[in-house]
Amino acid sequence: MADSLPTVVAQARVVRKYDGVMQQLADRVNLGQGVGNNWREISLAQLTAVNITENTEEDSPQQLSDSVFTVTPSVISVHTVITDRTARNISKNVFAKTGQLGQQAIETQKDKDGLALLDGATTQLGSAGSSLTSGVIAAGAYRVRGNTTEPWSGKVAFVLHSFQMKDLYDELVAGVGTYASVEGLTAEVFKNAFNLPIANAQGFTDDNITIDSADDAKGGVFASGANGAVVLVQARAPWVKIVRNEALGGGASEMFHRDEYAYGERSAGNWIFEVISDATAPTS
């Protein structure tokens, strides 16, 4: 009676993707309707105060100087087609999972676009093929805060791949097994993975960072949050459009998952530092 046994899909799941962190670390702003295609921010240059005496005659007024920072959102899309026959015959628990695939793809691409800002930073810290050390992160954090062009006084974040974070873990727990007692931060990291600030910069793991053919990865240190380096301009909110196509396969529904946004770098060259290091898969 083996041929009489039905084939049943007991459960369905969506292959996991990394959620990403760049949206939550960005300065999120909206481009409203009826205001054009571009989001613009004006920066006013600082003025300089001078010492004068009672005999000083001031005849050299300073000029007010402005510059514009422009971000132009664009559309991304995920297009899928499900024929009526497939929708009718597919296992219902599988069909129920298909709806989230489009938005998951949108969110992944949105995170990767944010990571591209780190990859394109003006200044690169660290070295390809070399293990990452905490000093590289600290250098980036201090350069964000202390640069002479435009210093930053807000939050600083660093975003790295898990394999880069493992180097920071190794650096801190190097004494485990060597010293008689390991307490405090070392014990915490040994138990819970590396999740500590470095030079008052908070660390975040993002495994949407690409590891290249040479086993290197590029993360970054940057001014984060409101008014920080990474600006995420949201135009139209994510939307789904379903279009019927009666000419295809006896009838089908075409689904378009879309979003409209763009990232921009505020105070370019001053508040983002790329961090490159070896990201070979750990073995010990």
Side-chain angles (χ1 to χ4, degrees), residues 22 76 108-118 261-263:
M22 291 306 295
I76 64 172
T108 298
Q109 185 58 46
K110 209 167 185 176
D111 186 61
K112 289 181 177 179
D113 288 342
L115 292 171
L117 277 188
L118 308 185
Y261 66 90
Y263 286 90

Side-chain angles (χ1 to χ4, degrees), residues 28-85:
R28 302 186 64 164
V29 298
N30 293 314
L31 179 66
Q33 296 184 24
V35 294
N37 294 327
N38 303 317
W39 180 85
R40 294 181 176 87
E41 179 181 82
I42 294 295
S43 297
L44 296 173
Q46 294 284 347
L47 299 177
T48 302
V50 297
N51 296 316
I52 64 172
T53 69
E54 61 184 12
N55 297 320
T56 301
E57 182 176 345
E58 296 184 77
D59 60 357
S60 299
Q62 297 181 53
Q63 182 177 355
L64 295 174
S65 176
D66 64 351
S67 59
V68 63
F69 166 47
T70 303
V71 180
T72 305
S74 58
V75 177
I76 64 172
S77 180
V78 178
H79 179 201
T80 58
V81 179
I82 298 180
T83 64
D84 295 344
R85 184 171 184 270

Side-chain angles (χ1 to χ4, degrees), residues 232-247:
L232 172 56
V233 179
Q234 184 71 51
R236 187 175 176 182
W239 73 98
V240 177
K241 184 71 173 179
I242 300 177
V243 178
R244 286 294 300 169
N245 186 346
E246 296 298 339

Side-chain angles (χ1 to χ4, degrees), residues 146-227:
N147 76 82
T148 56
T149 303
E150 187 175 7
W152 171 251
S153 58
K155 295 179 180 180
V156 177
F158 62 95
V159 176
L160 303 170
H161 191 278
S162 288
F163 297 168
Q164 294 176 295
M165 284 289 194
K166 175 60 164 56
D167 289 339
L168 300 179
Y169 170 93
D170 288 342
E171 181 183 17
L172 195 57
V173 305
V176 175
T178 300
Y179 302 109
S181 177
V182 180
E183 303 293 343
L185 296 179
T186 299
E188 180 182 339
V189 169
F190 187 74
K191 291 185 293 183
N192 301 318
F194 190 93
N195 56 4
L196 302 176
I198 296 176
N200 204 28
Q202 185 62 51
F204 297 87
T205 300
D206 193 329
D207 288 339
N208 288 324
I209 293 174
T210 300
I211 298 176
D212 65 21
S213 59
D215 287 333
D216 294 314
K218 298 177 181 178
V221 183
F222 57 96
S224 62
N227 300 311

